[in-house]
Amino acid sequence: LVKQVVCEVSLQADRKQLRLVSTSTLHNDSGELLAVRVWHVQQDAESVHPLPPGGVLPLPIRPNRSGYRICLRPMDGEYDWSPQYLLPGDAGAAANMPGATVGLQCIALRQGGSAWHCLVHHKGRQGGVCQVYFHPPIVLRNLLACELRFELRGQHGVDAGWLSAGGDRRAHFSPPMAPVGLRVAVEGYSPSEVALVAAPAADTAAGVLCKEIQLFDGYRNLLAIAVHYESLHGCVHSLSLIAPCWIANRTGLPILLRESGAKHGFCGNEPAVVREIVSENQRRPTVFNDFSADGLYPTDFHGPFSDEHMGRRYGDLQNVWLPTGWVWLDATWQRAVDRDTAANADHQGWQYATNWSTGWQKEAWPMAFVRRRLWSRRRARLSSMTASIMRQMNDAAIRKLSRDELQQCIVSAGLTYQDCDIEELRRRFAEVCAVETCPQASEPITAEAEPCPIMPPVQANRKIELQLPGSSWSHALSLEATGTHGLLELLPVEYHQPVAALRRAYQLGLSVTSAPGQFGRSKMLVVDHRILLVNRLQRSLGYKEHGSRRVGELLPPGARAPFHWQERRLERLLSVCLLDAGARAVDLDRCDWSNALPIDDVGEMNIVCRLSDQRSVIFMSIDVQSDGPTMHVVFTEQPSELAPYRVDNMTSAPLLISQSPCSALQQPRVIQEVLPLERAPFAWEQVVRRPTLDLHIGQAVQRICADDLELTGSIRLSDQQIVRYR
């Protein structure tokens, strides 16, 4: 028998590698575990093979080079087998067969369930091999900065869930080229309206697909999410969601962002507890009809249920989306009862008006044709959960929590499940957690998560403004110059604050780049502190603005801290002092602060500092490094052997050395004695343009420029004694 195989020869590490490959292979790009049945074209003998996601199945080689019959279905057992698909062999005309794409459908075994669809695609026999791929009809890619909740809805079913940043969803609920709508929700914004993202080829060519999805924050500021369409492998309908810009906040401070000209700022998240308000809407055509949802006109786009402002439509109360990372505090929806509602609503909670835009009244009258009733329900953020918020949770709401949600509640509150004083929460946690995986009382759970970039409500090619606590709004910033760095100065708030400490100025380093990797279509603004102090000493370091009356701040060994100039009247110079490792902030009042240090230019300085309440000194290196827009000021102790200068006393008289007084140094703090026939390391205590050294010997004083390597001279001590130096 003659069997044809494909031989691949390659060179690897100076060795030839020979691979024998089947003439037909199946590739699983569906994202699901599949079961594949294979028949001979003219026989009933079959074989069933599992095909994992991303896996490859080489088909058996036929002696007569004939074709195959295949069918497939997901391995979960919820679907029937698809119709058979004929895959030609490699003999005769079949060897030159063209590429083809065919849709397969697996009927759901459960009554009322949606069918499962996939695409079978191949490009013919290339190099003697036919590679057959199983693709999904639709691929949704999340190229946003945060987790995304989505709902794909078509005539044949619904696919909903969560997508992490950079993730994709292979959807099989709809056949190819069928109309599909998309609805999304992200942190800090209300859910979007349904947008058409897939349609038949003729409609797609006419440009009916949605180009952007609009999201609104609590102040109705707009974030326009661009929808980018691609045809993957020539057959898969792919759509990617892209935000115009990201803000990477590396300051560790809460930041407010807004589009230039907007009134309200956006912080990227919501309070720990939010009260959702839903409006139930009804209409009567005439005074002789009853109010009902069926009486709504086609122009009443908000439908029978909407948000309070009637800008977002809901199917019913159960279809109100719960954002990712949130849980309901209340088990059910309740009538919204507050001072305004109680005064303008009847005993059933209804409010009446002539039309939706007119004022609401408590009683119906002949000209009242619409009415609404407000429902409320509280939701809480899992990552901001506290013990007091947990106590507000209804027992029925606790019973609906999943294991992960329960555990995150306890983590965020900083508790273990044995510490919880909510009996229902402990009971529910014990029900869903296995004993061996329960947290132990002696091991409290800790959770740390880096904040993801913020997507502010700023449209493409628009400028942005930002604000930090206690500062005024910045000037408008452009994000067009990708690859640039800059300095941003934030002034203190101009209006009067009850507490003066709330008014702060900031110096920020900004970088405008493209978002990393696959997110590169979005622009990213990186916001960081302009100056970062790094203490690599073995003792604590105090720091403040030179000349300021403030007490100063304390930086422990090995720590780092941002520094911002606060007093505009002062020259921007830094003062530091040295303390013991266990010093406290109250000890800064008794410290001996150094002189002014310039830290605005990149470079290294070596200075000498006197320890507080001591006569000993240490030599310190101050290295100003540039890391993009941020200046790292690194303090390191230097061994005396590495001091920049050394004074050798070769005379029989002791010497006193110090930096010469000048306008920047009124009185030297460090005065060193050099005994006869000894040497001493030396460094400047004040950085000036042309420093000089005062040399005291006997009654004589000589000012010397230590940086002049060719300098020589003499000092007359008496008529008989002269001391020379060089």
Side-chain angles (χ1 to χ4, degrees), residues 644-647 660 682 684 690-694 703-711 725-726:
Y645 303 94
R646 190 185 71 194
V647 177
S660 303
F682 180 78
W684 308 116
R690 293 183 62 84
T692 57
L693 169 70
D694 275 0
R703 181 164 293 185
I704 300 173
C705 180
D707 293 326
D708 187 354
L709 300 181
E710 298 180 357
L711 178 66
Y725 62 85
R726 61 181 177 89

Side-chain angles (χ1 to χ4, degrees), residues 147 162 187 322-327 380-384 405 408:
E147 190 177 30
W162 291 266
E187 175 75 15
L322 181 66
T324 305
W326 293 73
V327 294
R381 186 199 304 273
L382 284 172
S383 59
S384 303
E405 291 172 339
Q408 190 170 359

Side-chain angles (χ1 to χ4, degrees), residues 324-632:
T324 305
W326 293 73
V327 294
W328 292 115
L329 281 183
D330 302 320
T332 59
W333 290 90
Q334 303 170 357
R335 291 181 191 172
V337 179
D338 54 31
R339 183 182 304 173
D340 296 335
T341 304
N344 295 312
D346 61 15
H347 66 284
Q348 293 183 335
W350 291 105
Q351 298 175 299
Y352 301 87
T354 301
N355 209 338
W356 307 110
S357 58
T358 59
W360 297 98
Q361 303 294 329
K362 182 176 182 179
E363 303 279 341
W365 71 97
M367 294 300 294
F369 297 108
V370 297
R371 69 176 183 177
R372 72 172 185 177
R373 179 165 55 186
L374 300 181
W375 298 86
S376 71
R377 194 176 184 184
R378 294 175 303 159
R379 54 182 170 91
R381 186 199 304 273
L382 284 172
S383 59
S384 303
M385 189 66 66
T386 63
S388 61
I389 296 177
M390 291 169 63
R391 294 189 188 97
Q392 303 177 38
M393 296 185 69
N394 185 282
D395 289 351
I398 293 176
R399 286 192 289 271
K400 294 180 181 179
L401 297 179
S402 66
R403 172 185 172 179
D404 292 340
E405 291 172 339
L406 282 166
Q407 187 163 346
Q408 190 170 359
C409 282
I410 296 173
V411 167
S412 300
L415 304 171
T416 62
Y417 86 100
Q418 289 92 342
D419 297 330
C420 294
D421 56 358
I422 307 171
E423 187 61 31
E424 183 60 33
L425 189 64
R426 293 186 60 183
R427 185 183 305 111
R428 174 63 177 157
F429 192 84
E431 290 175 359
V432 299
C433 294
V435 176
E436 63 272 14
T437 60
C438 284
Q440 300 299 319
S442 60
E443 299 178 1
I445 310 172
T446 58
E448 295 184 0
E450 291 187 5
C452 66
I454 303 172
M455 297 183 299
V458 177
Q459 301 185 55
N461 303 320
R462 299 288 182 88
K463 294 185 177 182
I464 189 172
E465 300 173 1
L466 58 88
Q467 182 186 47
L468 290 179
S471 78
S472 58
W473 284 98
S474 71
H475 63 267
L477 304 172
S478 174
L479 304 182
E480 299 304 311
T482 304
T484 59
H485 306 299
L487 168 66
L488 176 65
E489 298 260 2
L490 294 183
L491 301 179
V493 287
E494 298 178 358
Y495 55 86
H496 175 71
Q497 288 281 359
V499 182
L502 294 178
R503 301 180 70 251
R504 285 187 58 83
Y506 297 91
Q507 296 81 43
L508 302 176
L510 305 181
S511 294
V512 181
T513 65
S514 297
Q518 61 182 330
F519 306 98
R521 294 189 182 97
S522 299
K523 292 183 178 180
M524 183 168 68
L525 175 65
V526 181
V527 183
D528 206 345
H529 300 285
R530 174 64 173 177
I531 301 176
L532 191 66
L533 306 182
V534 182
N535 183 10
R536 293 183 180 171
L537 303 170
Q538 299 299 317
R539 59 186 70 248
S540 297
L541 179 74
Y543 61 93
K544 68 175 183 179
E545 290 183 66
H546 179 66
S548 174
R549 296 181 180 179
R550 299 172 185 262
V551 176
E553 303 290 338
L554 188 66
L555 190 62
R560 59 180 59 197
F563 180 77
H564 299 276
W565 309 108
Q566 298 298 323
E567 302 187 30
R568 302 180 64 184
R569 63 179 180 84
L570 299 176
E571 188 178 0
R572 291 190 169 179
L573 299 170
L574 181 71
S575 285
V576 297
C577 65
L578 301 175
L579 301 94
D580 295 332
R584 298 176 299 174
V586 295
D587 299 328
L588 293 172
D589 289 334
R590 304 187 301 271
C591 289
D592 184 17
W593 292 92
S594 76
N595 297 295
L597 301 176
I599 56 173
D600 52 350
D601 289 330
V602 175
E604 185 177 6
M605 299 174 285
N606 292 278
I607 65 171
V608 61
C609 289
R610 189 178 67 181
L611 297 180
S612 299
D613 301 328
Q614 300 180 29
R615 299 191 62 182
S616 59
V617 298
I618 68 168
F619 295 91
M620 183 166 56
S621 168
I622 304 173
D623 189 11
V624 182
Q625 307 169 359
S626 175
D627 182 12
T630 302
M631 307 287 284
H632 293 262

